[in-house]
């Protein structure tokens, strides 16, 4: 059985470049991408944690091309808020530069660190899922700093001797217990892009969303399951806690969730895990009237005993950039 890797603070590899979470954004210009670092640890979860920490460093340095070198050519990337839902390495780099870079795109205005991180991995050590609670500091034109609590989930795959991000979802949790009921912009629409064999994951996602009971039944029992909901404090770690979270949020049918529009889905090369990214319609009751709010979802699926199970779910609202 896989164990969960939890860490406090930044501790591996290139992270000696940062002086902890208080680091300020780099004023250095973005440089050309280099070969991604390959840091070997006996524990696959430590490998993945070190890899993700490298991403934090590159974003803080303003090395957006370097960030792109850590992704697959067809990476899918959800940015915080409603405006960024992109496929492809170049598109992801451009989105990250637009969100976190200076107006000319040459330097970073943000610094990132990861004081809380959860990592799970497949038994074949060829795919993994990561959940991060990532404080970010953004420097304004007048030198003032703004703090933002980002939540980030990533599906990563092993390509030869290196790890690459295949899908990633950034969000900002909303205040309040009824975050899905809050107003917000409708997220950008997705085009259908389903990789070979991943139609099974799309069908599994639709089946899971058909009822609260179906969603609960699809959640893995593993301790490295992780769920982020739309609210700032909406999080659950471990299969049992994730099922309790689902029961508390949608068990009484007050909230009904369904997939909306196009879908992006792909299997890891090994075929043992994959992801589904889509917009989600949440039917909620606001002031006594049932209303539909559209958010986003990234599901990570794992094949367990010939059954596809959810090991990670990240739901976000269409606001918060």
């Amino acid at each position: 059985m896989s164990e969960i890797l939890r860490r406090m603070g930044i501790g591996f590899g290139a992270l000696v470049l940062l002086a902890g979470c208080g680091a300020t954004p780099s004023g250095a210009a973005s440089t050309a991408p280099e070969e991604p670092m390959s840091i070997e640890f006996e524990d696959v979860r430590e490998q993945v944690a070190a890899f993700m920490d490298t991403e934090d460093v590159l974003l803080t340095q303003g090395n957006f091309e370097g960030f792109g070198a850590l992704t697959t050519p067809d990476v899918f990337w959800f940015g915080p808020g409603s405006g960024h839902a992109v496929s492809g390495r170049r598109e992801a780099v451009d989105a990250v530069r637009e969100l976190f870079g200076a107006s000319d795109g040459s330097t970073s205005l943000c610094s990132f660190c990861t004081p809380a991180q959860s990592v799970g991995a497949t038994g074949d050590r060829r795919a993994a899922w990561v959940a991060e609670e990532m404080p970010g500091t953004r420097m304004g034109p007048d030198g003032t700093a703004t703090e933002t609590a980002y939540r980030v989930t990533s599906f990563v795959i092993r390509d030869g001797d290196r790890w690459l991000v295949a899908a990633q979802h950034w969000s900002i949790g909303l205040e309040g217990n009824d975050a899905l009921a809050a107003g917000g912009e409708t997220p950008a629409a997705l085009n259908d892009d389903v990789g070979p064999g991943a139609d099974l994951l799309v069908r599994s996602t639709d089946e899971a969303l058909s009822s609260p009971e179906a969603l609960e039944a699809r959640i893995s029992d593993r301790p490295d399951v992780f769920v982020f909901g739309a609210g700032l404090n909406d999080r659950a770690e471990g299969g049992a806690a994730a099922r309790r979270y689902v029961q508390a949020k949608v068990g009484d049918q007050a909230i009904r969730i369904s997939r909306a529009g196009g879908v992006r889905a792909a299997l890891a090369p090994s075929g043992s895990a994959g992801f589904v990214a889509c917009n989600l319609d949440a039917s909620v009751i606001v002031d006594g009237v049932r209303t539909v709010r559209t958010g986003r979802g990234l599901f990570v699926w794992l094949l367990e005993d010939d059954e596809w199970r959810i090991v990670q779910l990240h739901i976000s609202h269409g606001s918060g950039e």
Side-chain angles (χ1 to χ4, degrees):
M1 179 178 291
S2 171
E3 296 179 358
I4 305 168
L5 175 67
R6 302 185 187 89
R7 295 178 8 272
M8 296 303 293
I10 304 176
F12 291 108
L15 294 189
V16 296
L17 297 173
L18 292 182
C21 294
T24 56
S26 169
S30 174
T31 59
E34 298 177 355
E35 188 74 9
M37 295 177 60
S38 179
I39 306 173
E40 292 298 332
F41 295 92
E42 182 178 350
D43 190 317
V44 65
R45 295 174 300 279
E46 291 186 3
Q47 290 181 23
V48 173
F51 166 76
M52 298 306 301
D53 287 342
T54 303
E55 178 185 89
D56 301 348
V57 172
L58 294 173
L59 290 176
T60 298
Q61 289 177 331
N63 189 347
F64 303 120
E65 298 295 335
F67 161 82
L70 301 182
T71 67
T72 62
D74 59 350
V75 63
F76 182 82
W77 198 81
F78 268 145
S82 60
H84 293 90
V86 300
S87 294
R89 178 179 289 161
R90 171 47 47 196
E91 290 77 5
V93 169
D94 290 344
V96 168
R97 180 180 285 113
E98 180 182 342
L99 281 166
F100 304 131
S103 57
D104 61 1
S106 62
T107 61
S108 176
L109 296 178
C110 299
S111 66
F112 301 96
C113 68
T114 308
Q117 186 183 68
S118 172
V119 180
T122 58
D124 59 12
R125 300 164 60 95
R126 308 300 298 177
W129 51 97
V130 186
E132 300 171 286
E133 293 171 290
M134 183 186 295
T137 302
R138 185 179 183 90
M139 302 302 295
D142 59 356
T144 59
T146 302
E147 302 287 338
T148 301
Y150 292 105
R151 297 102 51 80
V152 184
T153 54
S154 305
F155 178 62
V156 302
I157 62 171
R158 186 79 170 178
D159 180 19
D161 63 350
R162 60 181 183 169
W163 290 94
L164 295 173
V165 175
Q168 193 169 77
H169 185 174
W170 287 62
S171 75
I172 301 170
L174 301 185
E175 296 282 358
N177 294 325
D178 298 316
L180 277 175
E185 297 180 10
T186 299
L190 274 66
N191 295 321
D192 282 323
D193 186 0
V194 179
D199 54 319
L200 288 171
L201 302 186
V202 177
R203 290 202 298 270
S204 295
T205 299
D206 290 340
E207 291 170 5
L209 294 174
S210 65
S211 71
E213 294 78 15
L215 182 55
E216 284 185 64
R218 283 287 190 170
I219 295 173
S220 170
D221 290 326
R222 291 170 62 110
D224 49 19
V225 169
F226 202 98
V227 174
F228 275 134
L232 184 63
N233 298 313
D234 284 352
R235 64 188 303 281
E237 190 167 8
R243 285 190 291 274
R244 288 195 297 271
Y245 172 83
V246 169
Q247 181 64 35
K249 288 292 181 180
V250 301
D252 61 358
Q253 294 280 355
I255 299 176
R256 304 169 189 167
I257 301 175
S258 59
R259 182 167 62 84
V263 61
R264 175 77 171 91
L267 288 173
S270 65
S272 61
F275 76 90
V276 173
C278 58
N279 287 340
L280 296 171
D281 278 347
S283 175
V284 298
I285 298 175
V286 180
D287 297 330
V289 179
R290 186 162 287 280
T291 304
V292 174
R293 306 294 196 200
T294 302
R296 289 172 161 172
L298 178 64
F299 298 74
V300 175
W301 291 86
L302 177 69
L303 188 60
E304 293 184 304
D305 299 324
D306 298 322
E307 293 284 343
W308 285 103
R309 302 291 183 189
I310 296 169
V311 289
Q312 191 174 86
L313 172 58
H314 185 171
I315 295 175
S316 68
H317 195 273
S319 64
E321 278 193 29

